[in-house]
Amino acid sequence: MSTNWPDGTETVHRSVVVIGGGQAGLSMSWWLTHRGIDHVVLERDRVASEWRNRRWDSFCLVTPNWQCRLPGFPYPGDEPDGFILRDEIVQYLEKFVASFDPPLIEGVSATRLRGRSDGTFEIRTDRGTITADQVVVATGPYQVPRIPRMAERITDRITQLHSSAYKNPEQLPEGAVLVVGTGQSGCQIAEDLHLAGRTVHLATGTAPRVARWYRGRDVVAWLDDMGTYTRGIDQFDDADAVRFRANHYVTGRDGGHDIDLRAFAVQGMALHGRLTGISNGRLTFGPDLRSNLDNADQVSESIKDSIDAYIEKAGIDAPVEDRYVPVWEPGPEADDPADLSLEDAGITTVIWSTGYGRDDRWVELPIFNGRGYPTHDRGVTSQPGLYFIGLPWQHTWGSGRFAGVAADAEHLAKKIVATRRSAVVTGLHWLAGTPQETYPTDDDWSAPRTVA
């Protein structure tokens, strides 16, 4: 249920304000409600808007349904080993909201967050101002679609869109399609186009892959048993390298299967190395196609190695499975820089599957590192009373996902309860200039990368 917003003639105060009404913000609200903490959730659009508006028509989760573990609301369907589709994800979130009736205000955008001299926070919105003792930022990682500047060198005759704007093959003009990037979105969109009979060129990257099934079970089930998804980021030697690495590509489509780019090549998809340049209607690719494919396969096989070791150590009776054998190898020309004419290849559309970045310029508090990423310990920032939730690898692999966001929200709820303000803050002073001067202008600013 949505809580009515005041008419703007007065400033409203809440103990806690949660900014963002996706699965992270709603999970936070569930725990705050469970603990009887006065709060409100501000959502700029409507519940599940990211899933409704920025996923393609055939989109489905790549993790099995049993990993949908929102607090107090596990997956309610009868296919725990299946993979719910985009519209079913929306329904799941809507049912979650109905299950506990959060104090949710939809259609309100937070435009400024700053500290006040009394130690509280002020949140300015497009519908008025609200103050809070504590604030949880739950705006998610998929904020600003990132498209490289080289896209500006492509003629206007070519349709260009980010993966967040892709819906289906029918929305695109006739002709071949270049998909740039082989993270989860790029590989799944390339497959969607390929299955629709479109000619696809795929510029590969360094994203790893993982098998869907191995030794009689979904690989996710094995890794869950092995504790992979509950391992904290503090247990890794290089947390930043883990936090920003690309996700393994795989799919839940049609019951789930591997995404094998080599098999796509056998079926006619044109694979290329990394896109390195665009000039005068020609695309330049790096000589790394072979290494990109080999490295992705190596990661997949190393995961199988770890599963084998776990099975042996635990004495589990599991069927033995033959290992993957590559079905295609790039020719010798792939080892040299290559170029391709957009016109000669008949390419009429370019889809940039090049990830997302954050835009936290509205948060006027000194809690960011030199790359514009919020510094925190399990979501707790250095500013007392300010928290983040839903960040990639906030604490574990499942942070922000349906699998692990409940645990993150519970942790923050405990911190919120325990936080007591014993001293008045005299104000927050920037080292130089003003908060606005800390960031470059919009023309020069680029969103810090958060998701590949």
Side-chain angles (χ1 to χ4, degrees):
M1 183 181 82
S2 293
T3 301
N4 292 329
W5 184 254
D7 59 13
T9 59
E10 60 179 341
T11 299
V12 185
H13 186 83
R14 291 287 184 272
S15 295
V16 180
V17 171
V18 180
I19 303 173
Q23 62 260 25
L26 292 171
S27 295
M28 191 74 249
S29 180
W30 190 94
W31 277 108
L32 295 175
T33 300
H34 185 70
R35 290 178 173 270
I37 299 174
D38 166 58
H39 71 284
V40 67
V41 181
L42 308 182
E43 165 55 41
R44 66 180 178 181
D45 195 339
R46 57 190 291 208
V47 166
S49 63
E50 287 290 312
W51 300 102
R52 298 175 199 269
N53 303 324
R54 302 177 87 178
R55 302 293 187 274
W56 54 95
D57 293 349
S58 64
F59 178 92
C60 64
L61 291 183
V62 301
T63 52
N65 297 336
W66 55 262
Q67 276 209 335
C68 293
R69 302 164 175 162
L70 294 180
F73 201 75
Y75 168 71
D78 56 3
E79 294 185 24
D81 295 318
F83 305 90
I84 58 177
L85 300 171
R86 179 195 62 187
D87 293 346
E88 295 169 330
I89 298 169
V90 173
Q91 293 169 11
Y92 175 56
L93 285 170
E94 289 176 336
K95 291 177 180 177
F96 176 52
V97 169
S99 73
F100 73 104
D101 194 20
L104 171 69
I105 303 174
E106 296 177 303
V108 55
S109 295
T111 57
R112 186 181 189 187
L113 170 61
R114 60 183 305 195
R116 304 176 75 205
S117 61
D118 62 357
T120 61
F121 297 91
E122 177 184 278
I123 305 99
R124 294 187 182 179
T125 79
D126 55 0
R127 292 174 61 185
T129 299
I130 186 169
T131 60
D133 297 325
Q134 302 186 70
V135 173
V136 182
V137 178
T139 49
Y142 302 100
Q143 294 181 8
V144 182
R146 287 172 59 94
I147 297 178
R149 293 294 299 269
M150 71 174 75
E152 299 170 4
R153 305 189 193 110
I154 295 179
T155 174
D156 292 341
R157 295 191 300 273
I158 304 293
T159 297
Q160 296 189 67
L161 64 155
H162 187 266
S163 58
S164 59
Y166 172 75
K167 297 301 180 184
N168 53 61
E170 290 72 32
Q171 82 180 106
L172 307 179
E174 294 184 2
V177 182
L178 169 67
V179 179
V180 181
T182 48
Q184 287 185 358
S185 293
C187 288
Q188 292 176 57
I189 289 173
E191 180 184 43
D192 194 49
L193 293 163
H194 179 66
L195 293 176
R198 302 296 291 263
T199 299
V200 178
H201 290 259
L202 181 60
T204 61
T206 58
R209 76 181 187 94
V210 63
R212 177 80 275 169
W213 313 100
Y214 184 59
R215 299 194 68 174
R217 301 177 73 195
D218 192 316
V219 167
V220 171
W222 286 121
L223 295 178
D224 189 69
D225 288 350
M226 294 161 58
T228 301
Y229 301 133
T230 55
R231 184 182 180 189
I233 189 73
D234 55 346
Q235 298 179 43
F236 292 87
D237 293 333
D238 190 342
D240 277 348
V242 173
R243 186 167 277 137
F244 292 108
R245 69 174 50 151
N247 290 318
H248 301 68
Y249 57 83
V250 69
T251 185
R253 184 169 181 152
D254 299 329
H257 55 264
D258 292 9
I259 290 184
D260 184 357
L261 302 186
R262 298 179 192 269
F264 288 163
V266 171
Q267 297 163 10
M269 186 182 295
L271 304 184
H272 307 276
R274 180 181 295 275
L275 180 62
T276 58
I278 302 172
S279 179
N280 299 320
R282 300 194 72 85
L283 312 172
T284 303
F285 302 96
D288 53 359
L289 173 59
R290 188 184 306 277
S291 62
N292 290 341
L293 296 176
D294 288 346
N295 291 338
D297 290 343
Q298 182 179 8
V299 171
S300 179
E301 294 305 295
S302 70
I303 293 172
K304 293 178 182 178
D305 289 340
S306 67
I307 294 173
D308 285 341
Y310 171 75
I311 289 173
E312 182 177 359
K313 182 177 181 179
I316 298 172
D317 183 16
V320 177
E321 181 175 326
D322 292 336
R323 287 301 189 91
Y324 172 76
V325 176
V327 297
W328 178 85
E329 292 285 353
E333 68 280 356
D335 297 324
D336 297 316
D339 65 1
L340 178 71
S341 165
L342 286 164
E343 183 176 359
D344 292 348
I347 295 173
T348 58
T349 302
V350 178
I351 299 177
W352 297 97
S353 299
T354 43
Y356 295 82
R358 298 188 62 85
D359 185 356
D360 289 317
R361 290 176 291 173
W362 60 281
V363 180
E364 297 179 5
L365 293 163
I367 48 90
F368 299 96
N369 65 14
R371 293 186 293 179
Y373 189 84
T375 57
H376 65 90
D377 179 11
R378 292 195 65 178
V380 181
T381 75
S382 58
Q383 177 63 44
L386 178 63
Y387 314 88
F388 280 76
I389 190 169
L391 299 173
W393 275 97
Q394 179 161 310
H395 178 54
T396 67
W397 173 89
S399 292
R401 305 171 190 261
F402 291 121
V405 70
D408 288 345
E410 181 181 16
H411 175 76
L412 292 184
K414 293 177 180 178
K415 294 293 184 181
I416 288 170
V417 170
T419 296
R420 297 291 183 267
R421 297 182 182 279
S422 58
V424 175
V425 179
T426 59
L428 295 164
H429 302 284
W430 295 78
L431 294 178
T434 67
Q436 289 76 16
E437 290 171 347
T438 303
Y439 289 101
T441 62
D442 287 341
D443 290 341
D444 298 326
W445 178 79
S446 178
R449 184 174 72 86
T450 54
V451 181

